[in-house]
Amino acid sequence: MRLAFFGDVVGKSGRDVLVEELGAFRDRLKLDFVVVNAENAAGGFGITERTAIELFDAGADVLTLGNHSWDQSEALTYIEREPRLLRPANYPTGTAPGRGTGLYETKSGARVMVMNVLLRLYMQPLDDPFACVDEALSATPLGQVADAIIVDAHGEATSEKHAMGHFCDGRASLVVGTHTHIPTADHQILAGGTAYQTDAGMCGSYDSVIGMDKEEPLRRFTTHMRSGRMQAASGPATACGVFVETDDRTGLAVRVEPIRFGGVLSRSVPEA
């Protein structure tokens, strides 16, 4: 199976690069399934129904969220109606609407399990991410119930993301980090066959401070003074993500490559 995961979409420029490029990219690589982290898709803060539909129409099969899941209040009701939208799974039952895992079927009939989890260090999850992931992977074993499994590990600390990769090794097709918006250069297949990258990067303008117009973050860093709300940068965006090819028999990774196209970052696109 051929899978792609794209990191945090930040504002209109991040949506635009996927709207313009994702369909052709998907066709050229013959992708079976595409996951996009979209927790900053609406103006850099949260997601709305309109922005979600825009990304689904562009070619995303599933959208994941993170610590900004509820920045837009309409997400609280939209997520109940849209099973392809996932918030962190480690919200205990009754604390948040929606779901954190889903099992989806590709056009060829293959089954892909996707999970979104909020990590602990410098974050505020309500439940243990490792126990939550362990429970989900045990309930949906790779190669038996699911033909592929993608875990979006939404977290701040590199060490915790790396630990989650090893924790899932051999039980997931891909563990990929989101939230810090900078693509890391450590894409690899771990010893047990799980593809891993510490952070997928963002789909947004890199002439920015992690996707935001530079002026307000710089003012806050240099003076500790705020002059208003931060705004998503509007320059040409780079789409960042990771491509994974799996063994159809086991669901484990046989190939992993970074994805970068558009904007100012060096282009890196897998060969078909």
Side-chain angles (χ1 to χ4, degrees), residues 140-157:
T140 314
L142 184 62
Q144 299 177 45
V145 176
D147 299 298
I149 294 177
I150 297 172
V151 178
D152 173 358
H154 197 79
E156 188 77 39

Side-chain angles (χ1 to χ4, degrees), residues 126-236:
L126 292 177
D127 217 341
D128 177 4
F130 289 88
C132 180
V133 168
D134 185 56
E135 181 179 356
L137 295 181
S138 297
T140 314
L142 184 62
Q144 299 177 45
V145 176
D147 299 298
I149 294 177
I150 297 172
V151 178
D152 173 358
H154 197 79
E156 188 77 39
T158 299
S159 58
E160 191 175 17
K161 293 179 185 179
H162 213 176
M164 182 61 75
H166 289 296
F167 183 75
C168 297
D169 191 19
R171 299 194 291 168
S173 308
L174 169 67
V175 176
V176 59
T178 53
H179 178 67
T180 51
H181 292 198
I182 304 298
T184 54
D186 62 337
H187 58 281
Q188 60 184 292
I189 297 176
L190 302 176
T194 293
Y196 172 82
Q197 185 171 327
T198 297
D199 201 283
M202 70 176 173
C203 298
S205 170
Y206 279 85
D207 183 18
S208 68
V209 175
I210 63 167
M212 297 293 148
D213 278 338
K214 293 173 283 190
E215 289 75 11
E216 182 63 18
L218 286 172
R219 182 180 296 107
R220 295 185 189 186
F221 279 123
T222 57
T223 69
H224 286 192
M225 300 293 289
R226 296 170 179 250
S227 68
R229 180 183 173 92
M230 287 193 282
Q231 302 290 329
S234 58

